[in-house]
Amino acid sequence: MELYQFEGCPFCSKVRQKLSELQMDFIARQVEPNGAREKVKELSGQTGVPVIVDHENDVVMNESDDIVDYLEEHYS
């Protein structure tokens, strides 16, 4: 699992918290708050974060509420 995020983003924090609650291993990929986000756009089609990449299920997802729901549904 990879999480594209930046520190200080409340939406990213929400996803990190859920990943921690579920005791999931993940790689936090830091992006610049106001910088270029080519990799994020390449993965998800947009530049907003957070974005998760779930390699096990071949899923790329954005929007923190959707990510949290997905994690609860598939990993709790």
Side-chain angles (χ1 to χ4, degrees), residues 15-31:
V15 173
R16 283 193 314 270
Q17 182 177 350
K18 180 52 67 177
L19 288 164
S20 294
E21 282 176 18
L22 296 172
Q23 299 179 338
M24 295 183 66
D25 292 330
F26 67 97
I27 298 169
R29 305 277 187 204
Q30 299 301 315
V31 298

Side-chain angles (χ1 to χ4, degrees), residues 21-60:
E21 282 176 18
L22 296 172
Q23 299 179 338
M24 295 183 66
D25 292 330
F26 67 97
I27 298 169
R29 305 277 187 204
Q30 299 301 315
V31 298
E32 294 298 321
N34 298 313
R37 298 183 185 177
E38 288 84 12
K39 183 63 176 179
V40 172
K41 188 169 185 175
E42 177 186 316
L43 289 168
S44 69
Q46 51 86 43
T47 58
V49 291
V51 171
I52 63 161
V53 180
D54 181 353
H55 297 284
E56 277 189 34
N57 295 306
D58 198 27
V59 169
V60 176

Side-chain angles (χ1 to χ4, degrees), residues 9-19 21 64-65 68:
C9 168
F11 306 107
C12 299
S13 177
K14 181 179 191 175
V15 173
R16 283 193 314 270
Q17 182 177 350
K18 180 52 67 177
L19 288 164
E21 282 176 18
S64 59
D65 288 336
V68 168

